[in-house]
C-alpha cells in the first residue's frame, strides 16, 4: 500500500483512463453491429446528420463564447492577481472536455439507435445489449473525461502553487489559489452545459410540439411517420436534448461537486495523512471508485429471455454499482482519513494558527454524510417515479379530471406538479440537516459527491432511454414488422421510466451541488454569515427567487415561438410539395432541422446571459453577502420550479399514454381519440416544455450561478455589502487559543 | 395643540369612530334606494340569502376555532407568563371585529347590487353612485373597526402594563409585554382572513367553474342565465370571495402593518416626544389620517354625463386620497418626531442602558420611508394592470397563441404569469432596500404602514367591482332592457380592471406586511441573525419555500373537486326537473349554494392547519432562527407564486374577454365560438382558481405564518436552534459606551 499512499494524487487520472479505455472497447463493439439496410440506414443517416448539424452550429456560437469569456477571465485575473490568467486555461479545458464528452455520447447514440432497431429483429436481449452499451459509452465518457481533466489539472496547479513553493501550507492561501484556479474548469464545463441543456431543450420540444400539432392533430398521421417533415428533427431532438443535454448537465454536476468538496476540504485539518490533503483528494478518489464500480454494475445489465424484465436488469446493475461503491467508500475513508479531523474557518488558516470555534468530526462521520447523499439520491428518484408513473394516484387523478375537459386536465396536472414538491423538499432538507450534522459543510459537499459517485451508471441508464426511443422511431418510420416494434416499444416504455427517475436524480444532484458550491462560495468570499435579517440580503433573496421564474418564462416562450415556426414550415411543405401524403415525394427534413437548430441557438442566449451576468453584477455592486442571499433565493426557487415543472410534465405525459391502453373513468372505458384523451393530449403538450426544457434548465441555472459566484468570490470586496450608516454589526476580535498546528505539504 | 399633544393616544380610536359614523350614513343612504321589483328583487333575495347562509356556516366553524385557539392561547400563556392569558381576549376581539367588518360589507354589498341595477335604469352616474357608495361602506367599515379595535386595546394594555407600573420604561420590557399581548388582535384578524379568503376563494370558483362547465359549455346557455341552477351560487360567490374575502385580507394587512411598526417602534428612542412613544403611535395616527382622507377622496368619485369615464372618476378619488395623506403625513411626522431618533437592539433596552451599534435617523428619513411605501404600492398596481389589461402585449400574446389550440394558450398564459414576477420583485426589492436605507427596519415597517394608510379608499374601489358585477348579473337574469345592461357592463368592465390592480395592491401589502412582521419577529425572538449559511436555517428556507406550492396545490384541487360536485348537481337538475330550459320550472338554486358552502368550509381546513401549525412545530423543535429561515422561504416563494398565479389568471381572463369584441390574428378576425375563442375559454377556466383562490391565498399564508411566529416568539428558546456540537459561532460580549439615556413613560 505504500506506493498508493505516496502516489495517490497521480493515480486519480488513471481511474479516468480506465473508464475511457472501457468506453473505447464498448464504442467499437457498437459500431461493429449491423446497421441495417435501405430505409433504416437512410433515416438513421438523416438523424445522425441532423444531430451533427446542431452540434456544429452550437459549437460555432460556443467557440466565440469560450474565447470571449476566456479572455475576460484572463484579463480580469491580471487586474487583481498576477497568477489568475491561468484560470482561463482551466476554463477552456473544462469547456472543451464537456463539449467533447457530449460529442462522443451523441455520436455513439446516433449509431446505436439504428443498430438497436436491427438487433430488435433478432431478440429483445440483443436489442437491450446494443442500446444499453450505447448508453454506457456516454456514461463512461462523461465520467472518464471529467476525472482525467479535473485530476490532471489539480496535479498541475498543486505542483505549481503548493508543492514547489517554499513555506506554502496545504491548508493555507497557496492551496486556496490552486483551487480558485481549478474552479475555472467547473465554470467551463457548466457553461457548456447551459447551452447544451437549454439549447437542447428548446430544440427537442420545438420539433416535438411542432411535429405533433400539424402531423398528429391536423393531418391525422401517427407520430414518427416518415411523411411528417418534422419527424427527423423530432428524432434528432431526442439525441440533442436527452443525450447531449443530460450528459452535459451531469458532467457539470459531477465536476462541481468534486470541486466544491475540494474547496471545503482545504479547510479540514487532517494531519499526517497524504501530506494533509486527504480531505481534498477524497471526493476525486470516491468518484474514481464509483466509475470502476459503474463498469462492474453495467456488466450485470442483461436479460436472457424475451419475457425477462428490462427494468429489473437495469435496477440490478444500478443497485450493484451503488452498493459496491458504498462498501468501497467505507474502506477508503478509513484508509485515507485520520480518526479525527477539524474544520477551520478560512480566515484562521493563512496565518498558520487555528482559532477556536472549529468543529471536530470523525472519519465515521464523513462516511455517514456520504451515506446520507446516497439515500437522498435514491429517495428522490423513487418519489419522482411515484408522481409520474402510470397507475399511481397522481396520474390516475389527472386521467379522471380529463373527463371534464381540457381545463380540468390542466388544473389537475398543475396541482400534481405543485404537490410533488413536498416530499423531495423534505428529503432534501433532511439531507442537508443530516449531512451537516455528521460533518459540517464538508459533510454537505461530500454527501453530494457520494450521490454523484455512480454518475457513469446513472448516465448509462439515462442515455439508454433516448437510444431506445430513437430505435422505436426508426422501426416505425421504416414500417418494420410488428414483433420488432413490440420489442422497441418494450425498451421505450422502460426508457420513459428511467427518464423520469433520471430527472429526479439530476435535480437532486443539482440541488446538493449548488449547496456545496454555496458553502464553498461563502468560505472563499471570506464572509462569516449570510444574514437575511439584513434588508439588502433579503432583497437579494427576493431577486434570486424570481430568476427561475423569468428563466422558465423565457424557455417556455422560446419553445412556443419555435414550435409555431415549425408548424408553418410543415404546413408549407404539405401544401407546396405534392405527393408527400402518398409517400411519393420526400419531405424536406433538413428545413425543419434547420428551424430547430437556429431557434435553439438564438433563444438560449437571453436565459444564458441572465445566469452568467446576474451574479457578477450583484456581487460587484452589492458585495458577497447580498450575492449569497441571491444564490439562496435562486437555489430554493429553482429546485421548487424544477421539481414542479418536471413532475407536472411527466405526469401529464403518462396520463396521455394511459389512454393508449385504455382507461376506466366512472365505470366507462376510454381510448385514443375519445374526448378525455384529447384533453390529455393538451396536458401532454403543455407538459412538453415543462419537463424537457424549462424544468431541467433549472439544474443548470442554479449550478451555473453558484459556480460563477465561486469564481468571482476572491475578488469581491466584503465591505460593499452594507451601507456603513446602517451597519448594526459589532465586529470584535476573538482571542481563543489555537487547537491544532497547521500541517506541512507533501 | 397642547390638548392633542397630551391626549393623542386617546384620539386614535376617534378616527375610527368618525369612519364608522360616515359609514353608517352611507349605508343608510344605500338601503333607502329603490330595490326594484318582481324578478329583480326575488333574485337579489336569493343572492343575499345565499351569502348569509355561507356566513352562518363559516361562523359556526370559526366560532369553534376561535374558542379552541383562544383557550390554547390562554393556557399556553399561563404556563410561561402569568399575564399572557390576556392575549386570548385580544385574539377574540380581533377575530370578532374582522368577522363583523366582513358581515357589514357583505350585507351592504348584497343590498347595493340590486339597487345599482335599478339605478342603471335611470343613468350611469346614479348607478356608479349607488355601487361605489356600497363599496365605501365596506372600506370605511374595515378601516374604522380596525382602528377602533387596535387603538382601544393599545390604550388598555399601555395603561395596565406601562403607565400604571412604577419604573416601567416605554422602551423596555413593559412595553414589549403590552405589544406582545396586542399581537393577539392581529392573530385573530388574520385567522378569520384565512378562512374568509381561502374558503371564499374555493366557494366562488367552485360555483363559477361548475356553472360554466355545464351551463355555457354543455347546455349552451349564457352566463348569468336564470335557468342555470348554479347561477345564484356564482353570484353569491362574487360577494363571498371578492367582497368578504378581500375585506378580511386587507383588514389583516392593515392591522398587521400597524402592529409590526409599533413593535419595531418600541426600539426607537425618541426622547421628549409624546412620552417617548411617538414611534409607536405614529403608524396608528397615519392610518387615522388615511381614513379621513379616504372619506374626502371618496367624495370626488362621481360622473355627470353618460359619456364620462368611470375609471377616471375612481382614479381621481384614489389619487386625491393618496396625495392628501402623503402631505398630511409630512406635517404629522414633523410634529410627532424629534429631529433625530435612535434604533436600539431589543436586548439593550431592558437594562436601561444603550449599547453601541445603534443606528440614527431623522424624521425626514421616516417620511422618506413612508413615501417609498406609497410608491411601491402604486407601481405594483400599475404593473399588475399592464400584465392583465386588454390590448397590452401580454394579453395580445395569449390571444395570438390561442390560434394554435388549447395547449399553446395555456403555455402562453403560464409564461406571462412567470414573466410578470420580474418587475414587482424588483420594485419590492428596491422598496425594501430604500426604506431600510432611510430608517432601518422601522423604515421597512413604516413604508408598509404608509402604503396601507388609504386602505379604506382601496377597499371601496375593490368592493365596487363585485357589486357592479352582481348588478350586471341581476340585469342579465331579469332580462332587463339593453341600455340598462349596457350601463352595468360599463361598470363591470371598470370593475375587472380594479380587481386586477386591487390584487396587485393586496400582494404588495401582504409582502411588505410580512417583512415588517418578520423584522418584528426577529426582534421579539431576541436573535441577532438569521444566517442561511447554517445548514438547519437553510433547510428551513427550503421547507418554507415549498409551503406555498402545497398550499396552492390544495386550494386548486379543492376547487377542482367542488366544481365536479357542482357539475353533477347541475346535470342532475337539468335531467330530473322538467321545464327548466323553457323557463317553466325554477331550478333548485339552494342545492348549489349548499354544495359551494359545504365544500368551501371543508376544504379550507387542511391549508389552514398548515399555515397555523407549521411555524409552531418548527419554532419549538428547531428554534427561532430556523423559524426565521422558514418565514423567509414562505414569504419569497409565496409572493412569487401569488403574483404568478394572479397575473396568469387575470391575463387569461382578459384574453378570453377580448374575443367577445373580436380580435385579429394574422389578419383574420375571430369572435366568440371560434376555435381560438374555445382555447381561450380553457385558459380562463384554468385561470379561475389561480386568480381567485390559490393566488390571493398566498397573501394570507405569508401574513398568517409571520403573525403566528410573532405571537410565539417570546416563548421560543434561542439555544434550540443549533446542535451545540456543530456550533461554530463565537459569542463575545461587546463593550461599547451608551449613546443615549432611556426615556421615562408619560
Amino acid at each position: 500500500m505504500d506506493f498508493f499512499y505516496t502516489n495517490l494524487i497521480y493515480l486519480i487520472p488513471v481511474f479516468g483512463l480506465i473508464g475511457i479505455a472501457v468506453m473505447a472497447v464498448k464504442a467499437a463493439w457498437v459500431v461493429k453491429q449491423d446497421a441495417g439496410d435501405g430505409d433504416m440506414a437512410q433515416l438513421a443517416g438523416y438523424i445522425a446528420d441532423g444531430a451533427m448539424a446542431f452540434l456544429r452550429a452550437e459549437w460555432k456560437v460556443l467557440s466565440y463564447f469560450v474565447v470571449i469569456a476566456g479572455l475576460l477571465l484572463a484579463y480580469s485575473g491580471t487586474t487583481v492577481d498576477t497568477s489568475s490568467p491561468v484560470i482561463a486555461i482551466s476554463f477552456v479545458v473544462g469547456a472543451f472536455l464537456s463539449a467533447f464528452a457530449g460529442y462522443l455520447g451523441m455520436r455513439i447514440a446516433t449509431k446505436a439507435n439504428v443498430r438497436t432497431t436491427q438487433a430488435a429483429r433478432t431478440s429483445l436481449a440483443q436489442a437491450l445489449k446494443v442500446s444499453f452499451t450505447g448508453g454506457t459509452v456516454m456514461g463512461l465518457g462523461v465520467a472518464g473525461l471529467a476525472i482525467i481533466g479535473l485530476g490532471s489539472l489539480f496535479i498541475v496547479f498543486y505542483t505549481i502553487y503548493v508543492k514547489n513553493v517554499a513555506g506554502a501550507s496545504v491548508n493555507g492561501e497557496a492551496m486556496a489559489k490552486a483551487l480558485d484556479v481549478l474552479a475555472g474548469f467547473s465554470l467551463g464545463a457548466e457553461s457548456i452545459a447551459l447551452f447544451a441543456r437549454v439549447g437542447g431543450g428548446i430544440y427537442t420540444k420545438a420539433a416535438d410540439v411542432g411535429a405533433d400539432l400539424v402531423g398528429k392533430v391536423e393531418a391525422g398521421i401517427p407520430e414518427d411517420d416518415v411523411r411528417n417533415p418534422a419527424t427527423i428533427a423530432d428524432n434528432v431532438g431526442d439525441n440533442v436534448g436527452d443525450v447531449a443535454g443530460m450528459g452535459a448537465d451531469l458532467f457539470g454536476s459531477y465536476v462541481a461537486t468534486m470541486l466544491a468538496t475540494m474547496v471545503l476540504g482545504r479547510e479540514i485539518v487532517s494531519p499526517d495523512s497524504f501530506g494533509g490533503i486527504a480531505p481534498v483528494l477524497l471526493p476525486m478518489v470516491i468518484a474514481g471508485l464509483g466509475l470502476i464500480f459503474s463498469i462492474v454494475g453495467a456488466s450485470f445489465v442483461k436479460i436472457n429471455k424475451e419475457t425477462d424484465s428490462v427494468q429489473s436488469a437495469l435496477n440490478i446493475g444500478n443497485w450493484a454499482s451503488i452498493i459496491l461503491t458504498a462498501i468501497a467508500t467505507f474502506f477508503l475513508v478509513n484508509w485515507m482519513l485520520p480518526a479525527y479531523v477539524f474544520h477551520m474557518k478560512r480566515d484562521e488558516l493563512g496565518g498558520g494558527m487555528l482559532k477556536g470555534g472549529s468543529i471536530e468530526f470523525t472519519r465515521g462521520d464523513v462516511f455517514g454524510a456520504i451515506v446520507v447523499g446516497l439515500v437522498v439520491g435514491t429517495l428522490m428518484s423513487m418519489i419522482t417515479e411515484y408522481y409520474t408513473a402510470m397507475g399511481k394516484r397522481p396520474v390516475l387523478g389527472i386521467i379522471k379530471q380529463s373527463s371534464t375537459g381540457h381545463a380540468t386536465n390542466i388544473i389537475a396536472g398543475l396541482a400534481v406538479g405543485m404537490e410533488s414538491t413536498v416530499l423531495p423538499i423534505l428529503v432534501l432538507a433532511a439531507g442537508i440537516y443530516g449531512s451537516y450534522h455528521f460533518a459540517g459543510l464538508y459533510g454537505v459537499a461530500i454527501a453530494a459527491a457520494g450521490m454523484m459517485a455512480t454518475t457513469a451508471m446513472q448516465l448509462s441508464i439515462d442515455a439508454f432511454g433516448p437510444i431506445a426511443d430513437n430505435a422505436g422511431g426508426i422501426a416505425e418510420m421504416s414500417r418494420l414488422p410488428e414483433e420488432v416494434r413490440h420489442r422497441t416499444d418494450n425498451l421505450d416504455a422502460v426508457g420513459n421510466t428511467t427518464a423520469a427517475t433520471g430527472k429526479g436524480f439530476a435535480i437532486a444532484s443539482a440541488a446538493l451541488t449548488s449547496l456545496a458550491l454555496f458553502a464553498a462560495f461563502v468560505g472563499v468570499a471570506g464572509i462569516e454569515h449570510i444574514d437575511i435579517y439584513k434588508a439588502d440580503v433579503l432583497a437579494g433573496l427576493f431577486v434570486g427567487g424570481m430568476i427561475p421564474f423569468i428563466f422558465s418564462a423565457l424557455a417556455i416562450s422560446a419553445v412556443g415561438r419555435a414550435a409555431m415556426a415549425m408548424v408553418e414550415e410543415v404546413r408549407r411543405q404539405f401544401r407546396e410539395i405534392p405527393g408527400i401524403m402518398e409517400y411519393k415525394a420526400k419531405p424536406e427534413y433538413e428545413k425543419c432541422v434547420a428551424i430547430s437548430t437556429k431557434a435553439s441557438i438564438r433563444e438560449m442566449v437571453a436565459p444564458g446571459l441572465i445566469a452568467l451576468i446576474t451574479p457578477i453584477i450583484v456581487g460587484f455592486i452589492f458585495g458577497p453577502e447580498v450575492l449569497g442571499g441571491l444564490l439562496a433565493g435562486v437555489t430554493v426557487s429553482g429546485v421548487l420550479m424544477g421539481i414542479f415543472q418536471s413532475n407536472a410534465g411527466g405526469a401529464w405525459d403518462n396520463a396521455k399514454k394511459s389512454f393508449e391502453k385504455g382507461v376506466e373513468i366512472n365505470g366507462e372505458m376510454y381510448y385514443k381519440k375519445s374526448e378525455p384523451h384529447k384533453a390529455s393530449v393538451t396536458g401532454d403538450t403543455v407538459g412538453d416544455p415543462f419537463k424537457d426544457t424549462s424544468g431541467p434548465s433549472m439544474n443548470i441555472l442554479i449550478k451555473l450561478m453558484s459556480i460563477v459566484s465561486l469564481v468571482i468570490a476572491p475578488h469581491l470586496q466584503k465591505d460593499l455589502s452594507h451601507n456603513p450608516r446602517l451597519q448594526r454589526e459589532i465586529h470584535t476580535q476573538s482571542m481563543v487559543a489555537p487547537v491544532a498546528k497547521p500541517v506541512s505539504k507533501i
Side-chain angles (χ1 to χ4, degrees), chain A residues 201-213:
Chain A
I202 294 170
Y203 187 112
T204 178
K205 288 303 123 173
D208 190 6
V209 173
D212 285 1
L213 282 178

Side-chain angles (χ1 to χ4, degrees), chain A residues 189-199 551 604 607-608 611-612 700 704:
Chain A
E190 204 64 65
S191 300
I192 298 301
L194 171 85
F195 293 110
R197 190 56 131 164
V198 179
F551 200 93
M604 74 190 176
L612 285 166
I700 311 289
L704 185 57

Side-chain angles (χ1 to χ4, degrees), chain A residues 203-277:
Chain A
Y203 187 112
T204 178
K205 288 303 123 173
D208 190 6
V209 173
D212 285 1
L213 282 178
V214 192
K216 277 207 277 192
V217 181
E218 290 183 14
I221 56 179
E223 203 168 330
D224 287 325
D225 191 291
V226 75
R227 292 169 291 179
N228 192 330
T231 191
I232 295 294
D234 188 6
N235 276 280
V236 172
D238 291 338
N239 292 293
V240 165
D242 299 345
V243 178
M246 175 68 101
D249 188 353
L250 289 191
F251 185 95
S253 292
Y254 193 59
V255 168
T257 43
M258 282 190 267
L259 176 81
T261 317
M262 292 162 78
V263 170
L264 290 162
R266 182 185 68 84
E267 304 181 10
I268 306 294
V269 180
S270 158
D272 305 324
S273 60
F274 300 90
I277 61 166

Side-chain angles (χ1 to χ4, degrees), chain A residues 343-386:
Chain A
H343 190 185
M344 303 181 302
K345 293 189 196 177
R346 188 176 173 99
D347 286 352
E348 298 157 352
L349 299 167
M353 294 275 276
L354 273 178
K355 289 198 211 132
S358 302
I359 57 171
E360 177 193 293
F361 45 85
T362 68
R363 54 192 173 201
D365 291 335
V366 173
F367 182 69
I370 294 170
V371 172
V372 167
L374 290 170
V375 172
V376 167
T378 309
L379 286 177
M380 292 284 274
S381 295
M382 287 169 64
I383 296 165
T384 308
E385 198 193 334
Y386 170 75

Side-chain angles (χ1 to χ4, degrees), chain A residues 136-217:
Chain A
T136 52
V137 172
M138 180 77 182
L140 296 175
V142 161
L145 289 175
I147 293 179
I148 293 174
L150 196 70
S152 308
L153 281 181
F154 179 69
I155 294 171
V156 173
F157 297 142
Y158 176 72
T159 309
I160 296 176
Y161 294 113
V162 187
K163 204 177 173 195
N164 290 351
V165 177
S169 154
V170 298
N171 296 118
E173 284 306 310
M175 183 65 113
K177 188 184 277 184
L179 293 171
D180 288 348
V181 173
L182 195 61
F185 183 79
S186 186
L187 179 63
E190 204 64 65
S191 300
I192 298 301
L194 171 85
F195 293 110
R197 190 56 131 164
V198 179
I202 294 170
Y203 187 112
T204 178
K205 288 303 123 173
D208 190 6
V209 173
D212 285 1
L213 282 178
V214 192
K216 277 207 277 192
V217 181

